[in-house]
Amino acid sequence: MGNEFVMNLFFSGWCRAAIVSAALAAGMANAQTPAAAGAKIPDTIEQRAAACIVCHGKQGRAGSDGYYPRIAGKPAGYLYNQLINFRGGQRKYPVMAALIANMSDDYLRELAQFFSDQHPPYPEPQPSAVNAEQLARGQQLVTKGGGKAPACVACHGAALTGVAPTIPGLIGLPRDYLLAQLGAWKNGSRHSAAPDCMAQVVQDLSGADISDAASWLAAQRVPADARPMTALPDKLPLACGSALKEAVK
């Protein structure tokens, strides 16, 4: 599969955004009935996070459509940085941008920490639609690297569960989501803090490489006790601004 396939997966996310945005708008409109307006809404973190679970599932365990990512258990610094990026336009997704446009940094930190503290069970991996040769190639890229691109495990941890405070895990994520995000870096639609190491990595990967790596990652079963590592055993292979940005105090 070539670059066109990866790009199509990225733009399909925009279609999902439009649908969900309409659903959220309808839900908010329905909530403004006189009865609802007179009801006292509890000011709890669970209530504040309620809008997030529309797409990300209960406790942030992931949506049921195979696209929206799991946010439960991810490092709090990573989640906070992504919220800041959505608000600031470095990541482009209309639903997220609209949802958090007026939220303060402290509010976003609270949401990030809440979902980081959630550890519901992971679902079984999605059935793979690619052949054994492609999965083997994906495993090679993820665990050993390929060409100039370093192995994913060099930054995301040996178990690919991420590294606190700012590096996310890669297993337990849907293939469509992985393809969309890697495609966004590939075409310059997604950016991270400079130096943007992911933008550099994907330029050394072909569309087929990205598809194979995403397919292998999505096919991996996540251990029941999966947690982000507390520190990398070695120096990062590339300078990475987002990994050094410890935003949660």
Side-chain angles (χ1 to χ4, degrees):
M1 298 180 183
N3 291 337
E4 294 83 359
F5 176 76
V6 177
M7 299 305 110
N8 286 341
L9 259 296
F10 168 68
F11 286 111
S12 72
W14 284 76
C15 295
R16 291 183 175 92
I19 294 170
V20 175
S21 182
L24 286 172
M28 288 188 288
N30 290 337
Q32 300 306 311
T33 61
K40 184 177 181 180
I41 299 175
D43 185 15
T44 64
I45 183 59
E46 290 80 8
Q47 181 62 39
R48 294 180 184 185
C52 306
I53 68 175
V54 173
C55 295
H56 293 283
K58 185 178 180 182
Q59 295 179 282
R61 67 180 64 206
S64 60
D65 67 350
Y67 179 78
Y68 294 99
R70 180 187 178 96
I71 55 177
K74 277 189 165 55
Y78 168 77
L79 293 175
Y80 175 75
N81 286 344
Q82 300 318 301
L83 290 169
I84 292 294
N85 288 346
F86 279 120
R87 194 181 64 185
Q90 291 89 343
R91 288 190 70 173
K92 301 182 186 301
Y93 199 68
V95 172
M96 287 296 301
L99 190 64
I100 64 176
N102 298 312
M103 293 182 182
S104 68
D105 289 359
D106 287 343
Y107 197 105
L108 296 181
R109 284 193 183 96
E110 185 178 8
L111 284 174
Q113 190 63 59
F114 171 77
F115 283 108
S116 181
D117 290 340
Q118 307 304 306
H119 297 284
Y122 279 81
E124 287 297 301
Q126 298 172 307
S128 180
V130 302
N131 61 42
E133 182 180 354
Q134 291 170 302
L135 287 175
R137 174 63 177 161
Q139 182 179 17
Q140 170 72 23
L141 291 165
V142 170
T143 61
K144 304 296 182 183
K148 295 180 180 180
C152 301
V153 296
C155 298
H156 295 272
L160 296 165
T161 53
V163 184
T166 56
I167 301 177
L170 297 181
I171 53 174
L173 291 169
R175 179 174 179 270
D176 283 1
Y177 175 78
L178 290 167
L179 284 172
Q181 300 314 306
L182 292 170
W185 263 302
K186 184 79 170 175
N187 69 18
S189 299
R190 179 172 175 179
H191 305 278
S192 294
D196 191 342
C197 54
M198 279 303 303
Q200 182 177 342
V201 168
V202 297
Q203 295 314 312
D204 294 322
L205 297 173
S206 67
D209 290 338
I210 290 172
S211 178
D212 292 348
S215 296
W216 186 83
L217 286 166
Q220 302 312 298
R221 180 173 282 105
V222 183
D225 59 347
R227 294 288 192 280
M229 297 173 60
T230 57
L232 283 169
D234 300 304
K235 182 180 178 180
L236 293 175
L238 297 171
C240 196
S242 59
L244 301 175
K245 187 180 177 185
E246 298 189 20
V248 173
K249 306 300 182 184

